[in-house]
Amino acid sequence: MNLHAVRAIYVSEMARTFRTLLQSIASPVISTSLYFVVFGGAIGSRMPEIDGVAYGAFIVPGLVMLLLLTESISNASFGIYFPKFVGTIYELLSAPVSALEIVLGFVGAAATKSIILGLIVLLTANLFVPLHIAHPLVMVLFLVLTSVTFSLFGFIIGIWADGFEKLMVVPMLIVMPLTFLGGSFYSIQVLPPFWQTVTLFNPVVYLVNGFRWSFFGIADVHVGHSLAMTFAFLGICLAIVTWIFKTGYRLKA
Amino acid sequence: MSSNAPPAAATAPAVISVRSLRKTYASGFEALKGIDLDIRRGEIFALLGPNGAGKTTLISIICGIVRATSGTVTVDSHDIVGGWRAARSQIGLVPQELTIDTFDTVRATAGFSRGLFGKRASPAHIEKVLRDLSLWDKRDSKVMTLSGGMKRRVLIAKALAHEPRILFLDEPTAGVDVELRRDMWDLVRALRASGVTIILTTHYIAEAEEMADRIGVVNRGELVVVEDKAELMRKLGRKQLILQLPARLEHIPDALAAYRLELSADGSELTYTYDTQSERTGITSLLDALAEAGIGFRDLRTQESSLEDIFVNLVRDQP
């Protein structure tokens, strides 16, 4: 195991985050705060409680999830796409670094950043609505699992993308809608039965509900299902990454 | 291709062995058509060839950036596929393009390269490398603020950061000013003195002529010749005597036919080509014959065929 390489990649990726502090940390925190003000404060005050949870608090887990998904994907995808784009990938490919070490460095850094952001947003949320976390360990588990899984997913997108457009397409056209339709801002019980069933095919439902359960002990789907789905998605992403490095897909001629 | 087996007396252990190496890209382009090559430990080897000859493909395969279609490569007896980690950790690569993360500082990017190649951080070594490359003053500058020549120095620093035993320089002096070129060659000589094997590609023949111990000429995916530089120059080198005529000459008199003279298109110059290795160059008798034929000259000069001419001949003669 070339731990020096893992460390080098991790440190340089984290340095990129701190170099762009405003864009990396401030902007997601501000945009999430806006959600709290609009949905939690302005609209939430006119909304009924859901399963005994004030609407403003109810949306917190969903908002954090939205942030984790988009940030993990955009960080990890940009992290590996950038060296491909400017050509510095030659160094990674010629170095005595295994696929596992490359992934640990890039995905580790992207996930770390997402976790930090998630915690910052939770603290920010606490300023707007009183937060109570029923199952802190499960909360941390979902926070970490989601960050790692979607950083892996972002890494895959970054390798697949051969232009900036593709880099943006997946987060904007797939992840964002799935998150909005995945019960981030509502309980899926408010939907007609048919749409409830359709929604169950949306993987984000399981993430949001698992996360919500860790806060309030309530969820639309069982927390066990949520965990199982998260692990399944993690497994799929790991399999794809393994395949990418085995075949050299979009990395090696 | 010519035999690549070095004469027994000169046999040094090969640090890189390339056998029957072929590469066909997905587009169907056959970049390498069966290369056999041994690089000796501690030598400066120049890979010479026109653009698109396959030099960069060959280097890229040895360094692990491109996969070979068939054939084998060993680096210090480690197969580059089976023993990739051991093979790669010996190699430093300076790429052709100025590909570098421009947001990093000089010191950070050099340190990154060292870590990537599995070496413990060593500020002292990084400082030495940066000083050798006159980059120490710029150590905390972002790469993007540097000039093109400075960026090239940074790329070399990155390649040397992990103390490689083998250094690849892909077109190292393309677009580089005189000063940097001189510094670079000083550095290369110093590296070789410390036992580092250096392989450089270039299409500037003067560069190979100046630096290399041995030269391999690549053309259209094949190794046309591999030879000691001095031997190559001696074998294929020619010398020419050029006479500037006071008056234009319509044609060469028949009396001079034996000298195989060439008349320039405008009739103002006569060129005589002779073999420097032969006992008699024939210059004296030519001058006598010219006087006899009533042809004088205003001025004369001689020129030695450079590696460039040799190279152009080799590449042109290939079917």
Side-chain angles (χ1 to χ4, degrees), chain A residues 9-25 78-79 82 113, chain B residues 100-106 108-109 112 140-144:
Chain A
I9 297 171
Y10 184 88
V11 167
S12 116
E13 281 299 290
M14 290 308 285
R16 189 166 59 83
T17 304
F18 293 122
R19 215 160 41 213
T20 54
L21 211 56
L22 203 63
Q23 181 203 333
S24 300
I25 308 240
F78 190 77
F82 188 68
K113 187 182 155 188
Chain B
I100 185 166
D101 187 346
T102 57
F103 297 101
D104 265 344
T105 64
V106 171
T109 195
F112 171 78
D140 294 320
S141 303
K142 286 195 174 178
V143 173
M144 66 169 98

PDB file of all heavy atoms in Angstrom, chain A residues 9-25 78-79 82 113, chain B residues 100-106 108-109 112 140-144:
ATOM      1  N   ILE A   9      -2.442  12.687  -2.445  1.00  0.00           N
ATOM      2  CA  ILE A   9      -3.656  13.026  -3.196  1.00  0.00           C
ATOM      3  C   ILE A   9      -4.676  13.693  -2.269  1.00  0.00           C
ATOM      4  O   ILE A   9      -5.257  14.727  -2.589  1.00  0.00           O
ATOM      5  CB  ILE A   9      -4.276  11.769  -3.850  1.00  0.00           C
ATOM      6  CG1 ILE A   9      -3.311  11.165  -4.864  1.00  0.00           C
ATOM      7  CG2 ILE A   9      -5.617  12.104  -4.504  1.00  0.00           C
ATOM      8  CD1 ILE A   9      -3.741   9.817  -5.406  1.00  0.00           C
ATOM      9  N   TYR A  10      -4.843  13.085  -1.096  1.00  0.00           N
ATOM     10  CA  TYR A  10      -5.830  13.605  -0.140  1.00  0.00           C
ATOM     11  C   TYR A  10      -5.491  15.045   0.250  1.00  0.00           C
ATOM     12  O   TYR A  10      -6.335  15.937   0.187  1.00  0.00           O
ATOM     13  CB  TYR A  10      -5.852  12.698   1.095  1.00  0.00           C
ATOM     14  CG  TYR A  10      -6.890  13.070   2.118  1.00  0.00           C
ATOM     15  CD1 TYR A  10      -8.186  12.558   2.032  1.00  0.00           C
ATOM     16  CD2 TYR A  10      -6.591  13.922   3.174  1.00  0.00           C
ATOM     17  CE1 TYR A  10      -9.143  12.894   2.967  1.00  0.00           C
ATOM     18  CE2 TYR A  10      -7.548  14.264   4.116  1.00  0.00           C
ATOM     19  CZ  TYR A  10      -8.821  13.741   4.002  1.00  0.00           C
ATOM     20  OH  TYR A  10      -9.767  14.089   4.921  1.00  0.00           O
ATOM     21  N   VAL A  11      -4.235  15.263   0.605  1.00  0.00           N
ATOM     22  CA  VAL A  11      -3.815  16.596   1.040  1.00  0.00           C
ATOM     23  C   VAL A  11      -3.985  17.611  -0.088  1.00  0.00           C
ATOM     24  O   VAL A  11      -4.484  18.718   0.121  1.00  0.00           O
ATOM     25  CB  VAL A  11      -2.352  16.568   1.534  1.00  0.00           C
ATOM     26  CG1 VAL A  11      -1.800  17.979   1.697  1.00  0.00           C
ATOM     27  CG2 VAL A  11      -2.253  15.798   2.838  1.00  0.00           C
ATOM     28  N   SER A  12      -3.624  17.204  -1.314  1.00  0.00           N
ATOM     29  CA  SER A  12      -3.706  18.179  -2.401  1.00  0.00           C
ATOM     30  C   SER A  12      -5.166  18.478  -2.752  1.00  0.00           C
ATOM     31  O   SER A  12      -5.508  19.610  -3.083  1.00  0.00           O
ATOM     32  CB  SER A  12      -2.895  17.680  -3.602  1.00  0.00           C
ATOM     33  OG  SER A  12      -3.700  17.436  -4.704  1.00  0.00           O
ATOM     34  N   GLU A  13      -6.030  17.471  -2.637  1.00  0.00           N
ATOM     35  CA  GLU A  13      -7.454  17.718  -2.886  1.00  0.00           C
ATOM     36  C   GLU A  13      -8.063  18.599  -1.798  1.00  0.00           C
ATOM     37  O   GLU A  13      -8.884  19.467  -2.077  1.00  0.00           O
ATOM     38  CB  GLU A  13      -8.214  16.385  -2.955  1.00  0.00           C
ATOM     39  CG  GLU A  13      -8.075  15.672  -4.279  1.00  0.00           C
ATOM     40  CD  GLU A  13      -8.625  16.502  -5.433  1.00  0.00           C
ATOM     41  OE1 GLU A  13      -9.855  16.665  -5.509  1.00  0.00           O
ATOM     42  OE2 GLU A  13      -7.831  17.014  -6.233  1.00  0.00           O
ATOM     43  N   MET A  14      -7.663  18.362  -0.559  1.00  0.00           N
ATOM     44  CA  MET A  14      -8.185  19.191   0.526  1.00  0.00           C
ATOM     45  C   MET A  14      -7.660  20.623   0.384  1.00  0.00           C
ATOM     46  O   MET A  14      -8.382  21.587   0.660  1.00  0.00           O
ATOM     47  CB  MET A  14      -7.800  18.619   1.896  1.00  0.00           C
ATOM     48  CG  MET A  14      -8.505  17.318   2.247  1.00  0.00           C
ATOM     49  SD  MET A  14     -10.305  17.377   2.094  1.00  0.00           S
ATOM     50  CE  MET A  14     -10.763  18.316   3.546  1.00  0.00           C
ATOM     51  N   ALA A  15      -6.420  20.744  -0.073  1.00  0.00           N
ATOM     52  CA  ALA A  15      -5.850  22.075  -0.272  1.00  0.00           C
ATOM     53  C   ALA A  15      -6.667  22.839  -1.311  1.00  0.00           C
ATOM     54  O   ALA A  15      -6.882  24.040  -1.180  1.00  0.00           O
ATOM     55  CB  ALA A  15      -4.393  21.973  -0.714  1.00  0.00           C
ATOM     56  N   ARG A  16      -7.137  22.109  -2.324  1.00  0.00           N
ATOM     57  CA  ARG A  16      -7.963  22.749  -3.345  1.00  0.00           C
ATOM     58  C   ARG A  16      -9.237  23.319  -2.720  1.00  0.00           C
ATOM     59  O   ARG A  16      -9.682  24.417  -3.057  1.00  0.00           O
ATOM     60  CB  ARG A  16      -8.322  21.717  -4.423  1.00  0.00           C
ATOM     61  CG  ARG A  16      -8.994  22.291  -5.626  1.00  0.00           C
ATOM     62  CD  ARG A  16      -9.006  21.305  -6.788  1.00  0.00           C
ATOM     63  NE  ARG A  16      -9.683  20.057  -6.486  1.00  0.00           N
ATOM     64  CZ  ARG A  16     -10.993  19.895  -6.563  1.00  0.00           C
ATOM     65  NH1 ARG A  16     -11.741  20.887  -6.912  1.00  0.00           N
ATOM     66  NH2 ARG A  16     -11.533  18.741  -6.269  1.00  0.00           N
ATOM     67  N   THR A  17      -9.798  22.580  -1.783  1.00  0.00           N
ATOM     68  CA  THR A  17     -10.998  23.051  -1.088  1.00  0.00           C
ATOM     69  C   THR A  17     -10.714  24.334  -0.325  1.00  0.00           C
ATOM     70  O   THR A  17     -11.467  25.299  -0.402  1.00  0.00           O
ATOM     71  CB  THR A  17     -11.472  21.978  -0.093  1.00  0.00           C
ATOM     72  OG1 THR A  17     -11.686  20.776  -0.799  1.00  0.00           O
ATOM     73  CG2 THR A  17     -12.747  22.414   0.590  1.00  0.00           C
ATOM     74  N   PHE A  18      -9.604  24.330   0.419  1.00  0.00           N
ATOM     75  CA  PHE A  18      -9.336  25.492   1.260  1.00  0.00           C
ATOM     76  C   PHE A  18      -8.888  26.694   0.438  1.00  0.00           C
ATOM     77  O   PHE A  18      -9.035  27.835   0.858  1.00  0.00           O
ATOM     78  CB  PHE A  18      -8.305  25.129   2.333  1.00  0.00           C
ATOM     79  CG  PHE A  18      -8.860  24.130   3.315  1.00  0.00           C
ATOM     80  CD1 PHE A  18      -8.249  22.900   3.518  1.00  0.00           C
ATOM     81  CD2 PHE A  18     -10.030  24.405   4.002  1.00  0.00           C
ATOM     82  CE1 PHE A  18      -8.787  21.975   4.402  1.00  0.00           C
ATOM     83  CE2 PHE A  18     -10.580  23.491   4.897  1.00  0.00           C
ATOM     84  CZ  PHE A  18      -9.955  22.274   5.098  1.00  0.00           C
ATOM     85  N   ARG A  19      -8.338  26.388  -0.767  1.00  0.00           N
ATOM     86  CA  ARG A  19      -7.939  27.461  -1.658  1.00  0.00           C
ATOM     87  C   ARG A  19      -9.155  28.214  -2.177  1.00  0.00           C
ATOM     88  O   ARG A  19      -9.117  29.381  -2.475  1.00  0.00           O
ATOM     89  CB  ARG A  19      -7.181  26.860  -2.830  1.00  0.00           C
ATOM     90  CG  ARG A  19      -6.078  27.681  -3.353  1.00  0.00           C
ATOM     91  CD  ARG A  19      -5.099  26.850  -4.148  1.00  0.00           C
ATOM     92  NE  ARG A  19      -5.706  25.856  -5.002  1.00  0.00           N
ATOM     93  CZ  ARG A  19      -5.143  24.682  -5.271  1.00  0.00           C
ATOM     94  NH1 ARG A  19      -3.994  24.370  -4.763  1.00  0.00           N
ATOM     95  NH2 ARG A  19      -5.736  23.823  -6.059  1.00  0.00           N
ATOM     96  N   THR A  20     -10.259  27.470  -2.297  1.00  0.00           N
ATOM     97  CA  THR A  20     -11.479  28.065  -2.845  1.00  0.00           C
ATOM     98  C   THR A  20     -12.549  28.063  -1.757  1.00  0.00           C
ATOM     99  O   THR A  20     -13.659  27.588  -1.963  1.00  0.00           O
ATOM    100  CB  THR A  20     -11.959  27.256  -4.050  1.00  0.00           C
ATOM    101  OG1 THR A  20     -12.085  25.884  -3.644  1.00  0.00           O
ATOM    102  CG2 THR A  20     -10.999  27.334  -5.209  1.00  0.00           C
ATOM    103  N   LEU A  21     -12.168  28.603  -0.608  1.00  0.00           N
ATOM    104  CA  LEU A  21     -13.028  28.524   0.565  1.00  0.00           C
ATOM    105  C   LEU A  21     -14.410  29.108   0.318  1.00  0.00           C
ATOM    106  O   LEU A  21     -15.427  28.533   0.712  1.00  0.00           O
ATOM    107  CB  LEU A  21     -12.339  29.253   1.721  1.00  0.00           C
ATOM    108  CG  LEU A  21     -12.622  28.722   3.123  1.00  0.00           C
ATOM    109  CD1 LEU A  21     -12.276  27.245   3.201  1.00  0.00           C
ATOM    110  CD2 LEU A  21     -11.810  29.492   4.149  1.00  0.00           C
ATOM    111  N   LEU A  22     -14.430  30.253  -0.356  1.00  0.00           N
ATOM    112  CA  LEU A  22     -15.698  30.946  -0.570  1.00  0.00           C
ATOM    113  C   LEU A  22     -16.646  30.075  -1.379  1.00  0.00           C
ATOM    114  O   LEU A  22     -17.803  29.866  -1.028  1.00  0.00           O
ATOM    115  CB  LEU A  22     -15.426  32.261  -1.304  1.00  0.00           C
ATOM    116  CG  LEU A  22     -16.508  33.319  -1.130  1.00  0.00           C
ATOM    117  CD1 LEU A  22     -16.622  33.736   0.318  1.00  0.00           C
ATOM    118  CD2 LEU A  22     -16.195  34.521  -2.011  1.00  0.00           C
ATOM    119  N   GLN A  23     -16.086  29.538  -2.483  1.00  0.00           N
ATOM    120  CA  GLN A  23     -16.912  28.737  -3.374  1.00  0.00           C
ATOM    121  C   GLN A  23     -17.220  27.379  -2.752  1.00  0.00           C
ATOM    122  O   GLN A  23     -18.318  26.846  -2.901  1.00  0.00           O
ATOM    123  CB  GLN A  23     -16.159  28.577  -4.693  1.00  0.00           C
ATOM    124  CG  GLN A  23     -16.885  27.785  -5.731  1.00  0.00           C
ATOM    125  CD  GLN A  23     -15.889  27.209  -6.733  1.00  0.00           C
ATOM    126  OE1 GLN A  23     -14.815  27.753  -6.946  1.00  0.00           O
ATOM    127  NE2 GLN A  23     -16.242  26.094  -7.325  1.00  0.00           N
ATOM    128  N   SER A  24     -16.245  26.821  -2.037  1.00  0.00           N
ATOM    129  CA  SER A  24     -16.398  25.458  -1.539  1.00  0.00           C
ATOM    130  C   SER A  24     -17.295  25.379  -0.319  1.00  0.00           C
ATOM    131  O   SER A  24     -18.064  24.442  -0.162  1.00  0.00           O
ATOM    132  CB  SER A  24     -15.046  24.866  -1.162  1.00  0.00           C
ATOM    133  OG  SER A  24     -14.203  24.839  -2.254  1.00  0.00           O
ATOM    134  N   ILE A  25     -17.162  26.323   0.585  1.00  0.00           N
ATOM    135  CA  ILE A  25     -17.871  26.217   1.858  1.00  0.00           C
ATOM    136  C   ILE A  25     -18.961  27.269   1.966  1.00  0.00           C
ATOM    137  O   ILE A  25     -20.114  26.958   2.254  1.00  0.00           O
ATOM    138  CB  ILE A  25     -16.884  26.340   3.040  1.00  0.00           C
ATOM    139  CG1 ILE A  25     -15.736  25.352   2.835  1.00  0.00           C
ATOM    140  CG2 ILE A  25     -17.619  26.170   4.364  1.00  0.00           C
ATOM    141  CD1 ILE A  25     -15.504  24.316   3.848  1.00  0.00           C
ATOM    142  N   PHE A  78     -15.243  16.652 -10.161  1.00  0.00           N
ATOM    143  CA  PHE A  78     -14.297  17.680 -10.600  1.00  0.00           C
ATOM    144  C   PHE A  78     -12.861  17.270 -10.247  1.00  0.00           C
ATOM    145  O   PHE A  78     -11.941  17.457 -11.039  1.00  0.00           O
ATOM    146  CB  PHE A  78     -14.638  19.026  -9.962  1.00  0.00           C
ATOM    147  CG  PHE A  78     -13.857  20.156 -10.559  1.00  0.00           C
ATOM    148  CD1 PHE A  78     -14.205  20.671 -11.792  1.00  0.00           C
ATOM    149  CD2 PHE A  78     -12.757  20.681  -9.901  1.00  0.00           C
ATOM    150  CE1 PHE A  78     -13.467  21.705 -12.358  1.00  0.00           C
ATOM    151  CE2 PHE A  78     -12.019  21.714 -10.460  1.00  0.00           C
ATOM    152  CZ  PHE A  78     -12.381  22.220 -11.689  1.00  0.00           C
ATOM    153  N   GLY A  79     -12.709  16.671  -9.051  1.00  0.00           N
ATOM    154  CA  GLY A  79     -11.381  16.278  -8.598  1.00  0.00           C
ATOM    155  C   GLY A  79     -10.647  15.386  -9.579  1.00  0.00           C
ATOM    156  O   GLY A  79      -9.457  15.554  -9.809  1.00  0.00           O
ATOM    157  N   PHE A  82     -10.594  17.183 -13.549  1.00  0.00           N
ATOM    158  CA  PHE A  82      -9.641  18.267 -13.777  1.00  0.00           C
ATOM    159  C   PHE A  82      -8.272  17.757 -14.269  1.00  0.00           C
ATOM    160  O   PHE A  82      -7.767  18.237 -15.284  1.00  0.00           O
ATOM    161  CB  PHE A  82      -9.508  19.113 -12.508  1.00  0.00           C
ATOM    162  CG  PHE A  82      -8.693  20.354 -12.694  1.00  0.00           C
ATOM    163  CD1 PHE A  82      -9.161  21.391 -13.485  1.00  0.00           C
ATOM    164  CD2 PHE A  82      -7.449  20.481 -12.092  1.00  0.00           C
ATOM    165  CE1 PHE A  82      -8.405  22.537 -13.673  1.00  0.00           C
ATOM    166  CE2 PHE A  82      -6.686  21.621 -12.271  1.00  0.00           C
ATOM    167  CZ  PHE A  82      -7.166  22.650 -13.064  1.00  0.00           C
ATOM    168  N   LYS A 113     -14.915  16.523   2.719  1.00  0.00           N
ATOM    169  CA  LYS A 113     -15.456  17.863   2.518  1.00  0.00           C
ATOM    170  C   LYS A 113     -16.977  17.856   2.681  1.00  0.00           C
ATOM    171  O   LYS A 113     -17.542  18.754   3.316  1.00  0.00           O
ATOM    172  CB  LYS A 113     -15.067  18.352   1.134  1.00  0.00           C
ATOM    173  CG  LYS A 113     -15.439  19.784   0.907  1.00  0.00           C
ATOM    174  CD  LYS A 113     -15.090  20.221  -0.493  1.00  0.00           C
ATOM    175  CE  LYS A 113     -15.976  21.378  -0.879  1.00  0.00           C
ATOM    176  NZ  LYS A 113     -15.810  21.727  -2.284  1.00  0.00           N
TER     177      LYS A 113
ATOM    178  N   ILE B 100       0.442  20.755 -15.992  1.00  0.00           N
ATOM    179  CA  ILE B 100       0.776  20.933 -14.583  1.00  0.00           C
ATOM    180  C   ILE B 100      -0.366  21.669 -13.903  1.00  0.00           C
ATOM    181  O   ILE B 100      -1.016  22.502 -14.521  1.00  0.00           O
ATOM    182  CB  ILE B 100       2.122  21.699 -14.486  1.00  0.00           C
ATOM    183  CG1 ILE B 100       2.586  21.819 -13.050  1.00  0.00           C
ATOM    184  CG2 ILE B 100       2.035  23.060 -15.136  1.00  0.00           C
ATOM    185  CD1 ILE B 100       4.033  22.254 -12.960  1.00  0.00           C
ATOM    186  N   ASP B 101      -0.616  21.303 -12.656  1.00  0.00           N
ATOM    187  CA  ASP B 101      -1.690  21.963 -11.914  1.00  0.00           C
ATOM    188  C   ASP B 101      -1.242  23.377 -11.571  1.00  0.00           C
ATOM    189  O   ASP B 101      -0.400  23.583 -10.713  1.00  0.00           O
ATOM    190  CB  ASP B 101      -2.011  21.177 -10.643  1.00  0.00           C
ATOM    191  CG  ASP B 101      -3.241  21.739  -9.940  1.00  0.00           C
ATOM    192  OD1 ASP B 101      -3.660  22.863 -10.288  1.00  0.00           O
ATOM    193  OD2 ASP B 101      -3.790  21.067  -9.055  1.00  0.00           O
ATOM    194  N   THR B 102      -1.820  24.335 -12.281  1.00  0.00           N
ATOM    195  CA  THR B 102      -1.291  25.690 -12.185  1.00  0.00           C
ATOM    196  C   THR B 102      -1.708  26.413 -10.907  1.00  0.00           C
ATOM    197  O   THR B 102      -1.230  27.490 -10.631  1.00  0.00           O
ATOM    198  CB  THR B 102      -1.740  26.540 -13.386  1.00  0.00           C
ATOM    199  OG1 THR B 102      -3.162  26.512 -13.422  1.00  0.00           O
ATOM    200  CG2 THR B 102      -1.196  25.985 -14.669  1.00  0.00           C
ATOM    201  N   PHE B 103      -2.600  25.805 -10.132  1.00  0.00           N
ATOM    202  CA  PHE B 103      -3.056  26.476  -8.911  1.00  0.00           C
ATOM    203  C   PHE B 103      -2.144  26.182  -7.725  1.00  0.00           C
ATOM    204  O   PHE B 103      -2.182  26.870  -6.724  1.00  0.00           O
ATOM    205  CB  PHE B 103      -4.487  26.058  -8.564  1.00  0.00           C
ATOM    206  CG  PHE B 103      -5.485  26.468  -9.605  1.00  0.00           C
ATOM    207  CD1 PHE B 103      -5.950  25.555 -10.532  1.00  0.00           C
ATOM    208  CD2 PHE B 103      -5.938  27.772  -9.668  1.00  0.00           C
ATOM    209  CE1 PHE B 103      -6.863  25.938 -11.506  1.00  0.00           C
ATOM    210  CE2 PHE B 103      -6.847  28.169 -10.630  1.00  0.00           C
ATOM    211  CZ  PHE B 103      -7.306  27.247 -11.553  1.00  0.00           C
ATOM    212  N   ASP B 104      -1.331  25.144  -7.880  1.00  0.00           N
ATOM    213  CA  ASP B 104      -0.431  24.764  -6.795  1.00  0.00           C
ATOM    214  C   ASP B 104       0.796  25.666  -6.754  1.00  0.00           C
ATOM    215  O   ASP B 104       1.167  26.262  -7.754  1.00  0.00           O
ATOM    216  CB  ASP B 104       0.039  23.326  -7.009  1.00  0.00           C
ATOM    217  CG  ASP B 104      -0.808  22.338  -6.232  1.00  0.00           C
ATOM    218  OD1 ASP B 104      -1.528  22.770  -5.315  1.00  0.00           O
ATOM    219  OD2 ASP B 104      -0.748  21.143  -6.545  1.00  0.00           O
ATOM    220  N   THR B 105       1.431  25.692  -5.597  1.00  0.00           N
ATOM    221  CA  THR B 105       2.727  26.366  -5.540  1.00  0.00           C
ATOM    222  C   THR B 105       3.793  25.380  -6.018  1.00  0.00           C
ATOM    223  O   THR B 105       3.574  24.173  -6.058  1.00  0.00           O
ATOM    224  CB  THR B 105       3.083  26.803  -4.107  1.00  0.00           C
ATOM    225  OG1 THR B 105       3.235  25.634  -3.303  1.00  0.00           O
ATOM    226  CG2 THR B 105       2.015  27.700  -3.511  1.00  0.00           C
ATOM    227  N   VAL B 106       4.946  25.948  -6.374  1.00  0.00           N
ATOM    228  CA  VAL B 106       6.038  25.133  -6.896  1.00  0.00           C
ATOM    229  C   VAL B 106       6.427  24.054  -5.895  1.00  0.00           C
ATOM    230  O   VAL B 106       6.537  22.874  -6.219  1.00  0.00           O
ATOM    231  CB  VAL B 106       7.248  26.032  -7.226  1.00  0.00           C
ATOM    232  CG1 VAL B 106       8.465  25.196  -7.565  1.00  0.00           C
ATOM    233  CG2 VAL B 106       6.900  26.972  -8.376  1.00  0.00           C
ATOM    234  N   ALA B 108       4.701  22.852  -3.369  1.00  0.00           N
ATOM    235  CA  ALA B 108       3.634  21.894  -3.091  1.00  0.00           C
ATOM    236  C   ALA B 108       3.533  20.846  -4.192  1.00  0.00           C
ATOM    237  O   ALA B 108       3.364  19.657  -3.920  1.00  0.00           O
ATOM    238  CB  ALA B 108       2.304  22.632  -2.936  1.00  0.00           C
ATOM    239  N   THR B 109       3.656  21.298  -5.440  1.00  0.00           N
ATOM    240  CA  THR B 109       3.487  20.349  -6.529  1.00  0.00           C
ATOM    241  C   THR B 109       4.656  19.371  -6.591  1.00  0.00           C
ATOM    242  O   THR B 109       4.471  18.187  -6.892  1.00  0.00           O
ATOM    243  CB  THR B 109       3.236  21.077  -7.879  1.00  0.00           C
ATOM    244  OG1 THR B 109       2.734  20.130  -8.812  1.00  0.00           O
ATOM    245  CG2 THR B 109       4.490  21.705  -8.432  1.00  0.00           C
ATOM    246  N   PHE B 112       4.028  16.932  -3.824  1.00  0.00           N
ATOM    247  CA  PHE B 112       2.946  16.029  -4.235  1.00  0.00           C
ATOM    248  C   PHE B 112       3.509  14.876  -5.070  1.00  0.00           C
ATOM    249  O   PHE B 112       3.205  13.707  -4.832  1.00  0.00           O
ATOM    250  CB  PHE B 112       1.913  16.816  -5.037  1.00  0.00           C
ATOM    251  CG  PHE B 112       0.862  15.973  -5.698  1.00  0.00           C
ATOM    252  CD1 PHE B 112      -0.196  15.452  -4.964  1.00  0.00           C
ATOM    253  CD2 PHE B 112       0.923  15.695  -7.060  1.00  0.00           C
ATOM    254  CE1 PHE B 112      -1.163  14.667  -5.572  1.00  0.00           C
ATOM    255  CE2 PHE B 112      -0.037  14.914  -7.675  1.00  0.00           C
ATOM    256  CZ  PHE B 112      -1.081  14.395  -6.926  1.00  0.00           C
ATOM    257  N   ASP B 140       7.398  29.466  -3.423  1.00  0.00           N
ATOM    258  CA  ASP B 140       6.037  29.695  -2.930  1.00  0.00           C
ATOM    259  C   ASP B 140       5.147  30.399  -3.946  1.00  0.00           C
ATOM    260  O   ASP B 140       4.039  30.823  -3.620  1.00  0.00           O
ATOM    261  CB  ASP B 140       6.090  30.476  -1.612  1.00  0.00           C
ATOM    262  CG  ASP B 140       6.730  29.635  -0.511  1.00  0.00           C
ATOM    263  OD1 ASP B 140       6.428  28.418  -0.458  1.00  0.00           O
ATOM    264  OD2 ASP B 140       7.538  30.168   0.274  1.00  0.00           O
ATOM    265  N   SER B 141       5.636  30.508  -5.179  1.00  0.00           N
ATOM    266  CA  SER B 141       4.802  31.101  -6.234  1.00  0.00           C
ATOM    267  C   SER B 141       3.862  30.050  -6.790  1.00  0.00           C
ATOM    268  O   SER B 141       4.203  28.870  -6.849  1.00  0.00           O
ATOM    269  CB  SER B 141       5.667  31.603  -7.383  1.00  0.00           C
ATOM    270  OG  SER B 141       6.606  32.523  -6.916  1.00  0.00           O
ATOM    271  N   LYS B 142       2.696  30.519  -7.194  1.00  0.00           N
ATOM    272  CA  LYS B 142       1.793  29.595  -7.877  1.00  0.00           C
ATOM    273  C   LYS B 142       2.336  29.334  -9.274  1.00  0.00           C
ATOM    274  O   LYS B 142       2.861  30.249  -9.926  1.00  0.00           O
ATOM    275  CB  LYS B 142       0.395  30.186  -7.966  1.00  0.00           C
ATOM    276  CG  LYS B 142      -0.294  30.150  -6.624  1.00  0.00           C
ATOM    277  CD  LYS B 142      -1.772  30.392  -6.742  1.00  0.00           C
ATOM    278  CE  LYS B 142      -2.395  30.191  -5.362  1.00  0.00           C
ATOM    279  NZ  LYS B 142      -3.813  30.448  -5.358  1.00  0.00           N
ATOM    280  N   VAL B 143       2.149  28.108  -9.718  1.00  0.00           N
ATOM    281  CA  VAL B 143       2.694  27.718 -11.012  1.00  0.00           C
ATOM    282  C   VAL B 143       2.160  28.617 -12.125  1.00  0.00           C
ATOM    283  O   VAL B 143       2.868  28.959 -13.062  1.00  0.00           O
ATOM    284  CB  VAL B 143       2.381  26.237 -11.294  1.00  0.00           C
ATOM    285  CG1 VAL B 143       2.778  25.864 -12.706  1.00  0.00           C
ATOM    286  CG2 VAL B 143       3.099  25.353 -10.280  1.00  0.00           C
ATOM    287  N   MET B 144       0.900  29.035 -11.987  1.00  0.00           N
ATOM    288  CA  MET B 144       0.281  29.841 -13.058  1.00  0.00           C
ATOM    289  C   MET B 144       0.977  31.183 -13.271  1.00  0.00           C
ATOM    290  O   MET B 144       0.859  31.774 -14.329  1.00  0.00           O
ATOM    291  CB  MET B 144      -1.195  30.055 -12.786  1.00  0.00           C
ATOM    292  CG  MET B 144      -1.483  30.896 -11.580  1.00  0.00           C
ATOM    293  SD  MET B 144      -3.223  31.361 -11.525  1.00  0.00           S
ATOM    294  CE  MET B 144      -3.884  30.166 -10.405  1.00  0.00           C
TER     295      MET B 144
END
